Amino acid sequence: MSKTGVAVLGIFVVDLAFRAGNMPAIGETIAGSGFAMGPGGKGSNQAVAAARAGADVTFISRIGRDAFGDLAIKTWETEGIKPRVARTADAPTGAAFIYVHETRGDNAIIVVSGAADGLSPDDVDAAAEAIRSSRVFVTQLEQPVAAAQRGLEIARAAGSLTVFNPAPAATFDDGLFALCDYVVPNETEAEALTGIAVGDLAGARRAGDALLAKGAGTALITLGERGALFHAPNRSLHVPPFAAGNVVETAGAGDAFVGGFAAALAGGADPLEAARFGSATAGISVTRAGTAPAMPRRAEIETLLMG
């Protein structure tokens, strides 16, 4: 079977983003300075990032039969993403509250998965052919762990490269790591998975060793403004960040990294070069407001890499 493109299993939610100078305390009401509504969800964001970075993308999920679900379909049509998505009237399409600090761009997020919380191994089996034919398979933990595991099992059995973004941090059996060619946590998630603080590169390397010991093929730990650590059994290298302008908003940066990384892998890039591509993708995304709309196009990423 000829393998091409990226298959992403995850969730779609509508992001409701509020900008303000601080988070309100319990019982407090404050005035915000901005509001935006648009497509989100880690899986869908990663699919958009990969598609804009030049990959042929299929997205696997569940959504509701409602206006938010209609927005999901429109988003994927606009981005050229092929949906393998079940629609249900029994649960709403998911939504997320996002607080964004009005000057620093720091964020805090509450996600309700909605219909995607019902994603099951059976749903994944129904989309198995899309996973088997992909060069790269990506999943996260906003949908149930059992669905993520089934996707990784199908991809691994078919010889597809597997990318696991264990976000948000959740409890799962360590056996899942053996299905992962690349596990891509941020600093907080790496510490939650290993118990090792990731305050610097040395800490990231110790956490990377622990993730490899659990069975992951390569640990790719994102470090925010410090870039990322590519930590494999035969090489451990710092992937520097790419400065593309003033930081406006950090929400979605991790998804940009994962989507860009997956797209580069699907295009045949060396894994370390794919990590640099992901870092450049994230570097551009933080200079723009929004989540999925912030994802850059391939030409922009290549220009930053060449600069």
Side-chain angles (χ1 to χ4, degrees), residues 5-207:
V6 178
V8 181
L9 167 68
I11 78 168
F12 172 92
V13 301
V14 171
D15 285 340
L16 306 168
F18 298 80
R19 301 183 76 87
N22 59 275
M23 281 277 283
I26 298 298
E28 179 186 16
T29 299
I30 65 171
S33 58
F35 170 76
M37 183 177 81
K42 295 193 69 63
S44 186
N45 282 351
Q46 290 168 10
V48 170
R52 291 190 178 183
D56 183 22
V57 179
T58 300
F59 184 61
I60 303 160
S61 192
R62 288 176 66 88
I63 56 176
R65 293 189 178 277
D66 51 27
F68 282 3
D70 293 341
L71 177 60
I73 297 297
K74 182 179 178 180
T75 297
W76 301 324
E77 287 178 350
T78 299
E79 302 295 343
I81 295 167
K82 297 185 291 293
R84 292 295 303 268
V85 175
R87 298 196 73 169
T88 177
D90 296 333
T93 303
F97 159 80
I98 304 177
Y99 157 73
V100 181
H101 189 277
E102 60 190 7
T103 57
R104 297 193 304 267
D106 300 336
N107 65 83
I109 303 172
I110 300 173
V111 177
V112 178
S113 299
D117 196 45
L119 268 168
S120 70
D122 287 343
D123 292 312
V124 182
D125 283 335
E129 192 54 36
I131 297 173
R132 294 189 185 104
S133 62
S134 67
R135 188 163 188 175
V136 179
F137 172 72
V138 180
T139 193
Q140 330 73 30
L141 287 176
E142 285 186 331
Q143 77 288 326
V145 173
Q149 178 169 338
R150 184 60 186 141
L152 291 165
E153 289 170 349
I154 293 169
R156 173 51 60 89
S160 301
L161 293 171
T162 55
V163 178
F164 178 41
N165 174 215
T171 301
F172 57 86
D173 190 281
D174 278 359
L176 207 63
F177 287 107
L179 300 171
C180 304
D181 291 306
Y182 303 93
V183 59
V184 192
N186 66 17
E187 299 156 287
T188 302
E189 293 147 4
E191 181 173 352
L193 291 169
T194 66
I196 298 169
V198 183
D200 53 24
L201 278 176
R205 286 194 167 94
R206 289 192 294 273

